[in-house]
Amino acid sequence: MKVVPTIYEPLGRGKMISYQYTYAYRTYDTSHVYGRVPAIWFRYDLSPITVRYHEKRQPLYSFLTTICAIIGGAFTVAGIIDSSLFTASELFRKHEMGKLT
C-alpha cells in the first residue's frame, strides 16, 4: 500500500490534511504446500513527498481575455465558412453559365 500525505487548501476554509493511497492485490497459490497456514501481508510505502492542492480564483482580466478569444475565434470560423460558401456558389454559377475554364 502506497500512502502519500496530501494537503487541500480551499478558498473559504482552512487546510485539510489527508492521505491518498493506492494498493495492489496479489494472490499466491499455496495449495501445493502442506502445513502452511494462509496469511495476509501488508507492506506500507510512505512517501516523503507531500502533495499540496491550492485553490485560487482566476483574475477578472484573464476571464475577459478568454471570452474575447472565444468570440474572436467564432467570428474567424464564421468568416472562413462564409468565404468558402461564396467561392463555391460563384464557381457553380460560372459552371451553369459555361464560363468555367
Side-chain angles (χ1 to χ4, degrees):
M1 180 179 295
K2 295 185 180 202
V3 180
V4 179
T6 306
I7 298 173
Y8 295 99
E9 296 178 357
L11 277 177
R13 294 177 275 172
K15 289 183 185 179
M16 293 186 295
I17 299 172
S18 67
Y19 298 91
Q20 296 180 26
Y21 66 93
T22 59
Y23 68 93
Y25 175 76
R26 295 185 188 146
T27 59
Y28 297 101
D29 185 18
T30 58
S31 61
H32 64 279
V33 180
Y34 297 103
R36 287 211 170 162
V37 177
I40 297 176
W41 291 278
F42 290 100
R43 186 179 132 213
Y44 290 98
D45 184 15
L46 300 176
S47 176
I49 298 173
T50 300
V51 176
R52 182 179 150 208
Y53 293 104
H54 181 73
E55 184 179 10
K56 55 183 193 176
R57 265 199 189 106
Q58 184 179 17
L60 181 62
Y61 64 84
S62 179
F63 174 73
L64 293 175
T65 304
T66 303
I67 295 298
C68 289
I70 291 171
I71 292 170
F75 274 109
T76 301
V77 170
I80 291 171
I81 291 171
D82 180 54
S83 167
S84 299
L85 290 175
F86 179 75
T87 303
S89 69
E90 287 294 313
L91 285 173
F92 183 71
R93 191 171 57 88
K94 283 184 180 181
H95 178 65
E96 283 183 338
M97 293 172 52
K99 294 185 177 182
L100 194 61
T101 56

